[in-house]
Amino acid sequence: MRNELLIGGVWRQGSEDGRIAVLDPATDEVVTEVADGTPADAIAACDAAEAAQVKWAATAPRVRSEILRSCWQTLVDHTDELASLIVREHGKPMADAKGEITYAAEFFRWNAEETVRIRGEIGTAPSGANKIIVHHPPVGVVLMVTPWNFPAAMITRKLAPALGAGNAVVIKPPREAPLTALRIADLLQEAGVPGGLVNVVPTSTSGAWFDAAVDHRAVRMLSFTGSTEVGRVLLRRAADRVLKTVMELGGNAPFIVFDDADVDAAVQGAMVAKMRHSAETCTAANRFYAEAGVADEFTTKFAAAMAEVKIGSGFDETVTCGPLINKKAVDDVDGLVQSAISAGASVAVGGSRVAGAGCFYQPTVLGNVSHDSPIAAAEIFGPVAPVIPFTDHEEMIRQANDTEMGLTGYVYTRDLAKGLRTSERIQAGMIGLNRGAVSDPAAPFGGMKQSGLGREGSGEGIYEFCETQYIATSW
Ligand code: SIN
């Protein structure tokens, strides 16, 4: 298990003696301690990235691509070990953790293919006086701030395209779950990534760390995944240096079930959309709008499926939902549930925290929730599903869009034309139409409104880590 800082290709202790305790949220026990990076360590990491980036940018795309492909293979070869680290520090079930490694590794394979296909353009100026040549050099040094809910995949979704495009990076992994990030960085060096290109500096003093890194002259870009609240603060600070940004922020996804939907398929999709990775995803379905003709059937069947969920340690292979990340998360979820119940929601299943060690919450379905309830406005980030019945389609669409968030939406209907019309009207970057999962390295991941800026994955993702330069010339 790696528990130091990776700076300039060398593992080292922090410049001060601080340590960060990593807790197992299933038991509340300390797993280990990692070195606590200081602002000075962040600056050293930026210096190292700056020094390594020039040579990497000049390395042939085919060579960069082959190294990325080797990273994919190396991560796949270490699936069991990495998945165990994820379960230990995040708590999600082993099957989800293994799925996360497959997903995380795939960003390397996908971007290995994109690395040799970064395109430019050439055209003739309308005046005929000169040619217009457009090409895409790398940005330089990229700062990455990543979340605890996907300790592997939210790093590789940024890192693989950034490296493919010719950048060097400095990563601040989440203090709750830094172990996976450190081991991945170790494996990437084994896979052939030159030292200094990937620097990983966990810290318990995020604000001071970030201030030091963001002011480093070589840093030209910030890529962040996390809450909208924190994203706003980082954006303001990044504006001081006019950094390029890609921001993957919070969600509040509506999940719409029309009268003509296949209710069993909708329940199956709802379970995926709500519960994957222990219900701690920004893509999670947050509000379930069920049309009056199927609302009772949907609520009853959804509650029955949630009652089958087994909570516990992710190391128990029969468990399908792990703990929440910490006690505060349990308090936050419970606060939303209790206020919805006080406002008149019925409890179809669950409805309270689980007593004892660990940060567990009962899988919960609430019926007859009002769209105006705080639980419909907040990003729940826990295994709780409020069902809001509707009769008027226009009013339902208004309610679905009545949020500053716009990451994901889900629509269930047997009428594909109606499904597509509805999908177009949902103000969200990603829609699952008769599907409960949208995430795919080959698709553009990102949000509208306050859910983010830019896209990760797909053909677009690598260009986020590039500049555009145009050369006017003639011959
Ligand atoms: C997230 O929750 O931040 C990402 C979810 C995903 O990639 O599926």
Side-chain angles (χ1 to χ4, degrees):
M1 203 182 278
R2 281 290 176 190
N3 58 11
E4 312 110 291
L5 315 177
L6 180 60
I7 298 177
V10 177
W11 292 97
R12 47 162 118 154
Q13 296 303 326
S15 52
E16 288 170 20
D17 288 338
R19 310 290 290 171
I20 305 171
V22 181
L23 301 181
D24 177 344
T27 60
D28 304 328
E29 283 163 13
V30 175
V31 176
T32 186
E33 292 184 336
V34 302
D36 190 358
T38 63
D41 296 318
I43 290 169
C46 294
D47 289 341
E50 182 181 20
Q53 193 263 334
V54 178
K55 192 166 167 212
W56 180 244
T59 301
R62 175 60 72 200
V63 174
R64 297 202 303 260
S65 165
E66 293 295 340
I67 291 176
L68 260 60
R69 173 115 188 156
S70 155
C71 293
W72 165 71
Q73 187 66 60
T74 304
L75 295 186
V76 168
D77 291 346
H78 289 79
T79 297
D80 290 353
E81 179 201 340
L82 290 168
S84 293
L85 277 179
I86 292 178
V87 175
R88 185 59 75 206
E89 62 183 350
H90 174 277
K92 66 180 72 177
M94 185 57 84
D96 280 344
K98 287 184 182 171
E100 180 178 344
I101 297 304
T102 305
Y103 181 42
E106 189 58 28
F107 286 106
F108 278 101
R109 183 161 64 167
W110 174 264
N111 283 290
E113 292 153 359
E114 295 302 293
T115 294
V116 287
R117 291 184 177 76
I118 297 175
R119 300 203 181 284
E121 275 174 31
I122 182 164
T124 302
S127 65
N130 60 281
K131 298 290 181 193
I132 295 170
I133 301 173
V134 179
H135 73 125
H136 297 288
V139 170
V141 174
V142 182
L143 211 54
M144 297 182 174
V145 179
T146 61
W148 48 261
N149 62 338
F150 284 79
M154 293 307 100
I155 289 178
T156 60
R157 187 157 76 194
K158 303 174 185 310
L159 181 55
L163 291 177
N167 300 283
V169 308
V170 175
I171 301 170
K172 188 189 87 58
R175 65 168 293 175
E176 297 85 350
L179 300 173
T180 311
L182 292 168
R183 183 63 180 133
I184 284 179
D186 200 16
L187 290 169
L188 298 187
Q189 295 204 149
E190 269 180 38
V193 173
L197 285 183
V198 178
N199 303 276
V200 187
V201 185
T203 184
S204 66
T205 51
S206 305
W209 186 110
F210 185 76
D211 279 341
V214 92
D215 283 338
H216 192 285
R217 70 181 181 288
V219 170
R220 295 271 37 117
M221 178 171 173
L222 166 66
S223 179
F224 170 71
T225 296
S227 71
T228 297
E229 197 186 350
V230 174
R232 275 191 214 105
V233 175
L234 302 193
L235 269 174
R236 277 189 207 107
R237 195 59 187 83
D240 291 340
R241 295 205 53 247
V242 196
L243 297 186
K244 199 170 194 296
T245 56
V246 171
M247 310 297 278
E248 299 297 350
L249 307 178
N252 180 2
F255 186 107
I256 299 158
V257 187
F258 284 107
D259 270 352
D260 62 359
D262 174 339
V263 173
D264 292 328
V267 168
Q268 219 175 26
M271 289 302 291
V272 176
K274 179 79 247 179
M275 296 301 287
R276 64 188 272 275
H277 301 270
S278 301
E280 292 174 309
T281 67
C282 57
T283 51
N286 211 51
R287 303 166 281 152
F288 294 79
Y289 293 92
E291 196 164 3
V294 289
D296 285 348
E297 182 188 356
F298 175 74
T299 307
T300 306
K301 288 183 167 172
F302 192 12
M306 287 286 253
E308 293 292 307
V309 171
K310 182 167 174 202
I311 53 179
S313 160
F315 284 108
D316 174 344
E317 301 264 355
T318 64
V319 159
T320 48
C321 180
L324 299 187
I325 192 68
N326 53 34
K327 298 282 186 213
K328 179 180 178 305
V330 176
D331 289 344
D332 291 349
V333 169
D334 194 47
L336 290 170
V337 170
Q338 300 319 323
S339 77
I341 295 171
S342 306
S346 57
V347 180
V349 68
S352 59
R353 67 178 74 223
V354 178
C359 306
F360 295 98
Y361 203 85
Q362 291 179 339
T364 296
V365 176
L366 302 174
N368 277 320
V369 176
S370 152
H371 167 73
D372 301 320
S373 167
I375 201 166
E379 186 176 21
I380 301 170
F381 240 67
V384 174
V387 181
I388 305 169
F390 73 91
T391 48
D392 180 334
H393 287 197
E394 284 305 309
E395 176 58 10
M396 178 276 292
I397 295 281
R398 188 198 69 74
Q399 292 183 354
N401 289 330
D402 182 24
T403 167
E404 278 296 306
M405 301 302 148
L407 190 61
T408 330
Y410 302 89
V411 179
Y412 271 78
T413 170
R414 283 197 174 89
D415 178 344
L416 191 57
K418 179 162 84 179
L420 287 167
R421 279 196 305 273
T422 307
S423 298
E424 283 182 336
R425 295 186 65 194
I426 301 298
Q427 296 162 350
M430 299 175 283
I431 305 289
L433 174 52
N434 294 323
R435 279 188 60 78
V438 293
S439 307
D440 187 331
F445 190 103
M448 297 181 181
K449 296 156 88 176
Q450 292 199 32
S451 283
L453 298 169
R455 292 294 180 270
E456 293 184 331
S458 75
E460 285 182 51
I462 202 160
Y463 291 97
E464 298 280 7
F465 293 95
C466 296
E467 288 286 3
T468 294
Q469 188 183 51
Y470 132 69
I471 300 169
T473 190
S474 52
W475 52 81

